[in-house]
């Protein structure tokens, strides 16, 4: 077996050193009744690299990659171009095959990267500090609600109707067990967000208001009035960003008073990968850092006075605090954080702003063209690279009909909000820098055909 | 604009006597590297955007390209929220970027460089075939919300991996969406809690052995349970009598790690399970150590109700310097039907279905006689697809024979280390028989105040990653050594020689150990200072460096 270096001669010599007559003797603590007598049933025996690659390639061919068709899906995961050097660098064995940096003297590479990542994330989200990553945006979101509960000692979270419905589901699952109550609502196909409802719902029991920015329909809302209302009642504002590229074009949530800003970092450096692994972003005010979940890298010096980095503030974490920890998270999304950080370094301020401008300009153009199709209405007044159309027909079958025409034309609200009549004609269309003029022509033509 | 306007950088002081300083602070292949904030600026980028194809393109594009006007001043749809303030993100060109991250990478130890015997973490070789298949466009470039007819191959991967995980564990079902081991623990406990609620049985307590990993009690507390600890006996096993005495109508679950964190199999596992079940509770097994028994023992034969599998341990997906992982949870018949949404299921017609909230009830009626009652969603999408492809390639590469060989070689390697070192390092449980895939030692016998930490740091100088230190908590100064099956005998022999000599020095009280490492990119780092005055994001320093950390007088330097 190509991955196992011991030879039979090695095994015999080692058994002799150990003083065991056979390998079975080493398994003697396992009761006989629980030991399998031969190879496990069902699974074939080992296979060559060639055979496995063939099998996996055949499976991969049954999927339609985003890069091979006109592609307009968003709603929490976005197709962006990732520079070739990102994937090259994250495959360096020193990053790929290292563990969590528990021994800082021989993990300065990972630790400095995490420190840089935290700094980039904090700046991008407009916060003072950030952690070294969470699993993804949705789990970061419910961790933020838990953190707000600990800080305010209150248990009611007011959730915007514009929060991704899968994120809402995750929060609902957790709330059932943590004792939080969630005030939720369904979105409406209007240009206005539900800022007014949120402000009205804040009371003295409220731990936090949770607002996605831009929201699930692509709308952008001013967070400042919501932050002011929350703060006046002693509650926090949690902002959720699922498309971080947007922050190259619009103000950061932290600038508008958000206390905790979480996000899905996939857009920057991490491929679509059918939903994971992604990278959860988590940033907050410095004064709340001891309530933050997850690992944190911090600056220090070594015994010779040289600057170096270590994992720090670990008295928040499970390996020290056990049942009193701020979270149970251990393994996070380290390598995806590295990819995010490399891509962000390549972009820099200038590149991020250009990328954001390009996305926005492209989206504005496409929105205008699609809204000109008879019967199709653009719901949004404001958007970044994603907007919602109201079709004259149900969007879900329209999406499938577009697949038949070779176009992945968007995410139907019927998929995200099954059974909700008022939303069934909604189609969310994301337009990034990867979209070509031919793609837009194809989408326009396909949509024209399927809405009649 | 320059971000580090003062241009200040920390000095790299010359080390102690005998060390000839260099002008750059570099020492041949040991290269220093500043922060991106110190070398990058906000006007530099390593990404070019191509000009739009059509002639007479909109000016917004042009200006965006040129970087002169980041946003079209008119016609944008950003309302009043267009960004004006600078973000403060440094950029580098591509060659500078490649060099920055390559130089930094060289300050990391990794499995690709040598033995990484971090107990409980299963740092085995990461096959590169797996990296290759995960990057096939049909897996890497598909969107989680693509219509199902365009992702049948991805759903098949999930279904096929699920099938083999069930086969290998002898369990009834598997939840694939958890994102790592700790997330899997959460999934398992939520299934248990849902099962208890379904029978109207409110129980409050989860029992966790003292030797358990920190995620176990943290997870139980997160699910709203009170955590009580159960003692470990002198043989390094769960104290069966103490456990049985504590069982009762308030105990929802017992969380057992098997093989346990002392590297020992719990021989009474079936008896424990039977006792817990008799008292109306459920058994959660932490499967972090599945590598020792994969292909040899099926947890389903031990009465377990839920067990997470760290694909990033047993099934070799790379740990990436902290993640990502993947933590599928295998489940017993009693609780499988509470597994989270979405889940994947193949029907008789060969079609693989992705079951989300929408189809859940109908699908359950049609195919499961209505029993499926998922407790809800744990994450936005379907789990760690990128890890599933790697793990599936790993399982198929090894096959049934190869996986059993994995467990055997992992256990043989660990016992070889144990028996080669027990005369110089105290092995508290060695007397009670062989270990499984990891060997545990204590600091008993070290002289002159030498600690486990000192020994670990000395291993760094010998070119090895240290073992897991101070875990589990039940062994004083614990050193948990897990070589894994992907080490050759020659590599083990070299490691043994190094560790023997350090252990002998520790017993002799060699003071020099206290200042190890001396050959690493950094000497010991001041963790007290880092926690006392946290600097966790870059701040432009004052020109004289006045606001920089000064070393703490005390601490673990
Ligand atoms: C025994 C044990 N349990 C649980 C975990 C948690 O797993 P993860 O880090 O994948 O969340 C680990 C690994 O760190 C472990 O060693």
């Amino acid at each position: 077996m190509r991955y196992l270096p011991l030879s039979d001669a090695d095994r015999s010599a080692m058994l002799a050193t150990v003083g065991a007559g056979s390998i079975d003797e080493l398994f003697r603590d396992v009761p006989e009744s629980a030991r399998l007598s031969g190879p496990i049933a069902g699974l074939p025996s080992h296979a060559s690299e060639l055979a496995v690659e063939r099998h996996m390639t055949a499976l991969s061919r049954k999927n339609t990659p985003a890069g091979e068709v006109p592609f307009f899906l968003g709603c929490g995961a976005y197709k962006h171009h990732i520079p070739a050097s990102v994937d090259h660098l994250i495959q360096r064995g020193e990053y790929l095959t290292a563990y969590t940096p528990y021994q800082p003297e021989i993990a300065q590479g990972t630790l400095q990267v995490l420190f840089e990542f935290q700094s980039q994330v904090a700046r991008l989200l407009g916060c003072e500090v950030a952690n070294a990553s969470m699993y993804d945006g949705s789990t970061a979101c419910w961790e933020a609600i838990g953190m707000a509960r600990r800080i305010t000692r209150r248990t009611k979270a007011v959730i915007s109707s514009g929060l991704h419905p899968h994120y809402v589901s995750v929060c609902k699952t957790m709330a059932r067990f943590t004792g939080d109550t969630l005030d939720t609502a369904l979105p409406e196909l209007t240009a206005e967000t539900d800022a007014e409802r949120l402000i009205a719902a804040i009371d003295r029991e409220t731990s936090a208001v949770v607002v996605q920015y831009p929201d699930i329909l692509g709308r952008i809302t001013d967070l400042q009035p919501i932050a002011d209302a929350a703060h006046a009642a002693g509650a926090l504002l949690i902002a959720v960003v699922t498309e971080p590229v947007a922050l190259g074009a619009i103000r950061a949530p932290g600038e508008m008073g958000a206390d905790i800003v979480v996000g899905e970092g996939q857009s920057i450096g991490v491929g679509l990968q059918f939903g994971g692994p992604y990278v959860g972003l988590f940033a907050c005010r410095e004064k709340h850092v001891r309530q933050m979940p997850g690992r944190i890298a911090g600056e220090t010096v070594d015994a010779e006075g040289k600057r170096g980095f270590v994992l720090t503030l670990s008295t928040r974490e499970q390996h020290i605090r056990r049942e009193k920890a701020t979270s149970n998270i251990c393994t996070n999304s380290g390598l995806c954080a590295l990819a995010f950080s490399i891509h962000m370094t390549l972009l820099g301020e200038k590149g991020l702003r250009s990328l954001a401008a390009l996305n926005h300009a492209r989206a504005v153009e496409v929105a205008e063209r699609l809204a000109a199709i008879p019967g199709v209405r653009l719901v949004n007044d404001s958007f970044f690279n994603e907007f919602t159309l109201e079709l004259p027909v149900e969007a879900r079958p329209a999406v499938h009909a577009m697949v038949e025409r070779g176009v992945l034309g968007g995410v139907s609200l019927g998929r995200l909000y099954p059974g909700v009549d008022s939303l069934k004609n909604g189609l969310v269309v994301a337009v990034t820098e990867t979209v070509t003029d031919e793609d837009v022509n194809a989408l326009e033509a396909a949509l024209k055909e399927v809405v009649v | 604009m320059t971000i580090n306007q003062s241009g200040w950088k920390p000095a790299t002081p010359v080390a102690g006597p005998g060390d000839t300083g260099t002008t750059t602070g570099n020492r041949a292949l040991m290269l220093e590297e500043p922060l991106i904030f110190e070398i990058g600026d906000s006007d530099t980028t390593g990404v070019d955007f191509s000009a739009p194809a059509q002639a007479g393109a909109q000016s917004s594009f042009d200006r965006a390209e040129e970087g002169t006007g980041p946003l079209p001043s008119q016609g944008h749809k950003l309302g009043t929220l267009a960004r004006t303030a600078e973000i403060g993100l440094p950029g580098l060109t591509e060659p500078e970027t490649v060099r920055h991250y390559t130089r930094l990478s060289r300050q990391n130890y990794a499995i690709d460089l040598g033995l990484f015997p971090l107990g409980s973490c299963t740092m085995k070789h990461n096959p590169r075939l797996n990296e290759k298949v995960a990057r096939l466009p049909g897996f890497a470039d598909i969107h989680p919300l693509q219509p199902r007819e365009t992702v049948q191959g991805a759903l098949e991967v999930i279904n096929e991996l699920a099938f083999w995980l069930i086969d290998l564990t002898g369990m009834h079902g598997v939840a694939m969406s958890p994102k790592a081991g700790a997330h899997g623990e959460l999934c398992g406990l939520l299934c248990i809690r849902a099962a208890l609620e379904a029978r109207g049985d409110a129980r409050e307590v989860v029992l966790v052995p003292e030797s358990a990993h920190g995620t176990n009690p943290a997870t139980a507390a997160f699910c709203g349970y009170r955590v009580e600890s159960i003692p470990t006996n002198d043989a390094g096993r769960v104290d069966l009598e103490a456990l049985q005495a504590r069982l009762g109508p308030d105990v929802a679950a017992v969380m057992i790690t098997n093989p346990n964190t002392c590297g020992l199999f719990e021989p009474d596992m079936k008896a424990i399970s039977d006792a817990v079940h008799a008292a109306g509770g459920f058994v959660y097994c932490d499967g972090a150590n599945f590598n020792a028994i994969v292909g040899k023992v099926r947890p389903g034969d031990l009465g377990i109700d839920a067990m997470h599998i760290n694909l990033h341990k047993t099934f070799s997906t790379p740990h990436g310097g902290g993640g990502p992982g993947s933590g599928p949870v295998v489940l017993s018949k009693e609780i499988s039907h509470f597994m989270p949404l979405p889940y994947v299921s193949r029907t008789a017609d060969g079609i693989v279905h992705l079951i989300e909230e929408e189809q859940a009830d109908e699908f359950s009626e049609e195919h499961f006689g209505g029993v499926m009652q998922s407790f809800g969603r744990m994450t936005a999408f379907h789990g760690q697809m990128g890890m599933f492809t790697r793990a599936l390639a790993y399982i198929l590469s090894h096959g049934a024979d190869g996986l059993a060989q994995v467990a055997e070689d992992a256990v043989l390697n660990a016992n070889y280390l144990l028996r080669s070192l027990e005369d110089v390092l105290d092995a508290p449980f060695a007397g009670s028989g062989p270990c499984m895939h990891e060997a545990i030692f204590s600091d008993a016998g070290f002289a002159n105040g030498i600690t486990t930490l000192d020994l670990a740091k000395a291993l760094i100088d010998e070119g090895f990653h240290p073992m897991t230190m101070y875990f589990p908590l039940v062994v004083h100064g614990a050193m948990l050594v897990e070589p894994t099956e992907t080490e050759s005998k020659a590599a083990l022999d070299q490691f043994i020689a190094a560790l023997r000599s350090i252990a002998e020095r520790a017993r002799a009280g060699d003071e020099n150990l206290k200042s190890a490492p001396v050959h690493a990119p950094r000497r010991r780092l001041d963790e007290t200072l880092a926690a006392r005055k946290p600097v966790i994001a870059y701040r432009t320093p004052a020109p004289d460096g006045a606001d920089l950390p000064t070393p703490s007088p005390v601490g673990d330097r």
Side-chain angles (χ1 to χ4, degrees), chain A residues 227-240:
Chain A
D228 292 344
H231 295 158
L236 305 184
L237 174 63
I238 298 170
V240 181

Side-chain angles (χ1 to χ4, degrees), chain A residues 99 135 330-331, chain B residues 120-121 180-183 185 213 215-216 257 261 286 288-289 308 310 312-313 471:
Chain A
Y99 201 75
Y135 303 135
C330 179
T331 291
Chain B
S120 205
C121 301
H183 207 221
E185 292 171 27
H213 193 261
T215 50
N216 292 189
T257 308
T261 59
D286 183 328
N289 297 334
H308 73 260
N310 309 64
H312 47 297
K313 296 183 178 182
F471 173 80

Side-chain angles (χ1 to χ4, degrees), chain B residues 183-198:
Chain B
H183 207 221
E185 292 171 27
L186 193 56
C187 173
L189 283 196
L190 292 186
C191 285
I192 288 171
R193 202 173 146 151
L196 287 167
E197 281 175 5

Side-chain angles (χ1 to χ4, degrees), chain A residues 29 46 247 300 346 357 396 400, chain B residues 46 70 83 149 237 358 401:
Chain A
D29 285 343
H46 66 274
L247 301 181
T300 188
L346 281 164
R396 207 156 183 205
H400 291 280
Chain B
R83 188 186 263 284
E149 62 269 29
R237 267 77 175 203
E358 173 183 17
D401 54 336

